[in-house]
Amino acid sequence: MTVNKTEQARFVVVSFDGLRPDLIDSALTPNIVRLKERGVTLACHRTVYPSETRVAFPSLITGATPDQHGMIGNKYVDRTAMPTRYIDTSDAKRLRELDLESGGRLMSAPTLGEILAKRGRSLAVLATNTPGTTRLFHHKAEDFGHMRLSGHFPEACTPDTLKLEIEDRFGTLPPAPPPGTPDLEAQELITSAFLEVVWPKSKPDVTILSFGEPDTCSHFSGTGAEKTREVIAFCDKQLGRVIDWWEAEAHNNDVQIAVISDHGHITGHTRVSVADSLRRAGFSPSTAPGVDVDAVVVPGQVGAIYLPDRTDRNVIKAVEAITSEPWCGCVFTAPKNEVEGIAPGTFGRHLVGVEHARSPDIVFSFRTDDSVDPFGLVGGTYYDNDRRTGLGLHGGLHPKELAAVGVLAGTAFLDSGLMSRTPSGICDVVPTILEVMDIERSQGMTGRVLQEALANTSAAADSSITPDIFETGSGAYSQALRRVRVGTSIYLDGGWVGSGAPTAARRHA
Ligand SMILES: [Zn+2]
């Protein structure tokens, strides 16, 4: 008998956007440490590729990789529209329009909010991220009468009465501070809104409390900078308020807590221009579709190139232009076989879970290394944006970008301060939540139930852990990708170019 399953179980998922697990310690994050001591730490937890916010959180709430849910980048080119159009998923209103005009198919996998609603259960979201990220946690909340509160943006809030009640009690939603200024006020606001309004009034079955920091501070001040550390400590203090409440009244009532992050950060050390490289190869690139544009280079740390001429010949020409550059990391194109993509030297997009109708013709990461940044943190990368060197970045395949925080605590979980070294990932959180709540998982979920973290489970934990290394290359360019399988779930360890890829695993060349 599985005694940890209970229809009374409720969950609070607290998320720190962009928090590197190796920044957790008793001085900076005493409350995360406090929870770790009471629960299970997922010590080999990681995110999906691209390691971007609005790819990772859809993976959180669908329990599936991007090829299943379709949110394959923070920004993408919509080829189903005529003419093709550029979509920035930070825009909450745009996301709603896209969902309505596609008949509810913005995401191509069922979300936690939809699954819970079908069972008459509820998901509440309180978030200080961008309006789009806030909406993506539960993009159909208004259809089910569920709550979604932004700490900054009225357009991401539903229902109107919730925003009115929160503003009546705590004052007008504060504007997002200018980039580089730690976003403190809104973290405190959403935590208070949860503890004083949302929980006492509604007791949602699952609540996502999402701090948009330290991500923004890391991008504008640096991953280990004083301002970033200040905002990490502040968010941790808010988590401490949630743990105080949990210990006082919620723990004994079957409320479970998960603390997560969506990706890590590494440090930009060398600025480059992808567009210049394509121009030298004869392309007319731009950051958005347009007349005379023959290569759309989506801005950001995730390399994404959309080509109006999608012939193999043209894809190969663009791949050759980037793989000859010193900044080029792993490159993925449409699959040719089980490992390789159609362009020589590339992997198939399916190897990293991004094979979807919305995928760019060429997905690439910038070349990374294990250099140490001015703050003593491992992980450096080339980048293409207008910011200075020394700042935080993510989106690629460096292990420190892929590393994510995962802590589970409550009556359903082992409470020994256990460190689980079994690989796990952001796609596993919701399958585990549904298991504890005794709700059936949907078929397309690629994540698994984290049996190794559960108390009193009758199911055996997955013990088959299989590492795989894939290698390919063309001319002077070579790349390697390391993944690990637990049961049928696949986790990305990292991607490398040239020498430097770890060995000692099954090779697929
Ligand atoms: Zn993020």
Side-chain angles (χ1 to χ4, degrees):
M1 189 181 73
T2 309
V3 298
N4 61 284
K5 283 192 184 187
T6 161
E7 289 196 353
Q8 281 80 49
R10 287 180 160 77
F11 270 85
V12 179
V13 179
V14 183
S15 173
F16 291 65
D17 198 314
L19 180 61
R20 267 173 76 135
D22 58 1
L23 288 175
I24 292 172
D25 64 42
S26 52
L28 187 62
T29 59
N31 291 295
I32 298 181
V33 170
R34 182 176 153 204
L35 198 71
K36 281 162 69 97
E37 285 165 358
R38 292 203 54 170
V40 180
T41 299
L42 305 168
C44 299
H45 198 60
R46 68 285 302 271
T47 193
V48 290
Y49 180 72
S51 48
E52 265 192 326
T53 307
R54 293 187 298 280
V55 180
F57 284 136
S59 283
L60 169 76
I61 53 114
T62 59
T65 42
D67 48 6
Q68 303 296 309
H69 59 66
M71 305 310 291
I72 44 81
N74 275 357
K75 299 152 189 155
Y76 62 88
V77 173
D78 178 8
R79 294 180 137 139
T80 62
M82 266 306 159
T84 58
R85 58 186 175 176
Y86 180 69
I87 306 289
D88 182 341
T89 62
S90 67
D91 182 341
K93 287 182 187 159
R94 189 79 155 129
L95 291 179
R96 180 63 169 170
E97 287 162 14
L98 289 171
D99 196 46
L100 291 175
E101 72 186 40
S102 65
R105 299 285 297 165
L106 174 67
M107 285 196 229
S108 41
T111 65
L112 176 62
E114 293 168 277
I115 294 166
L116 291 173
K118 242 185 204 172
R119 299 294 191 102
R121 314 288 287 270
S122 58
L123 170 64
V125 173
L126 302 96
T128 58
N129 312 72
T130 63
T133 303
T134 302
R135 174 170 273 283
L136 284 173
F137 282 118
H138 191 4
H139 69 300
K140 294 181 181 174
E142 40 276 270
D143 301 345
F144 306 120
H146 291 175
M147 288 181 280
R148 192 180 56 233
L149 179 73
S150 164
H152 294 300
F153 307 106
E155 72 269 28
C157 297
T158 187
D160 291 342
T161 49
L162 174 67
K163 185 181 88 70
L164 289 173
E165 188 175 353
I166 296 301
E167 292 199 322
D168 192 41
R169 193 178 174 113
F170 302 103
T172 311
L173 300 182
T181 304
D183 184 4
L184 304 180
E185 197 184 343
Q187 321 304 339
E188 188 170 4
L189 169 66
I190 62 167
T191 309
S192 300
F194 170 68
L195 294 173
E196 296 173 29
V197 178
V198 170
W199 178 264
K201 285 188 73 165
S202 309
K203 292 190 171 47
D205 293 291
V206 181
T207 301
I208 296 173
L209 182 66
S210 172
F211 305 130
E213 294 279 23
D215 186 76
T216 310
C217 261
S218 179
H219 281 306
F220 288 92
S221 300
T223 303
E226 207 45 56
K227 283 180 180 176
T228 309
R229 294 178 67 84
E230 178 194 346
V231 83
I232 292 171
F234 191 86
C235 292
D236 181 77
K237 208 167 113 191
Q238 305 312 311
L239 171 65
R241 297 172 64 203
V242 175
I243 300 176
D244 288 345
W245 156 80
W246 179 67
E247 288 183 335
E249 59 172 285
H251 177 253
N252 292 330
N253 290 314
D254 261 344
V255 174
Q256 321 294 322
I257 297 194
V259 172
I260 63 159
S261 69
D262 53 336
H263 51 78
H265 270 252
I266 56 175
T267 297
H269 57 49
T270 309
R271 186 178 163 187
V272 301
S273 169
V274 177
D276 284 353
S277 302
L278 289 169
R279 231 172 258 125
R280 278 195 293 273
F283 286 95
S284 300
S286 179
T287 52
V291 183
D292 298 333
V293 173
D294 62 8
V296 178
V297 183
V298 177
Q301 191 63 9
V302 180
I305 300 174
Y306 289 85
L307 300 168
D309 171 3
R310 308 184 71 180
T311 57
D312 287 9
R313 202 174 129 210
N314 199 43
V315 172
I316 291 166
K317 180 181 158 194
V319 163
E320 284 172 350
I322 65 171
T323 53
S324 59
E325 297 287 2
W327 48 256
C328 190
C330 293
V331 184
F332 307 88
T333 56
K336 180 177 82 178
N337 56 38
E338 281 187 6
V339 173
E340 296 166 298
I342 53 166
T346 65
F347 287 127
R349 292 181 298 228
H350 63 292
L351 272 195
V352 282
V354 294
E355 178 60 12
H356 190 274
R358 288 180 187 145
S359 297
D361 297 292
I362 301 167
V363 184
F364 69 93
S365 54
F366 288 89
R367 186 173 188 147
T368 62
D369 52 60
D370 286 342
S371 57
V372 177
D373 75 6
F375 307 107
L377 298 169
V378 170
T381 185
Y382 289 82
Y383 68 98
D384 181 358
N385 67 39
D386 56 7
R387 294 202 283 272
R388 65 172 171 87
T389 60
L391 302 179
L393 292 161
H394 58 91
L397 283 164
H398 190 282
K400 296 286 186 187
E401 290 173 279
L402 294 171
V405 175
V407 183
L408 301 165
T411 49
F413 299 102
L414 296 168
D415 63 355
S416 53
L418 180 82
M419 295 283 278
S420 170
R421 303 225 163 260
T422 307
S424 62
I426 196 162
C427 300
D428 302 333
V429 176
V430 159
T432 304
I433 288 174
L434 295 177
E435 171 74 9
V436 171
M437 294 177 76
D438 203 13
I439 295 174
E440 204 181 330
R441 300 188 290 285
S442 61
Q443 283 190 340
M445 286 186 175
T446 58
R448 66 188 175 87
V449 176
L450 296 166
Q451 299 287 357
E452 64 272 27
L454 292 175
N456 306 316
T457 180
S458 60
D462 285 300
S463 56
S464 67
I465 300 172
T466 318
D468 285 303
I469 285 193
F470 301 88
E471 291 173 319
T472 188
S474 176
Y477 175 82
S478 65
Q479 57 174 334
L481 178 75
R482 197 170 79 178
R483 311 190 315 190
V484 59
R485 276 177 291 147
V486 179
T488 56
S489 291
I490 292 169
Y491 306 96
L492 300 172
D493 276 343
W496 295 265
V497 291
S499 57
T503 53
R506 271 181 49 181
R507 287 174 178 280
H508 307 256

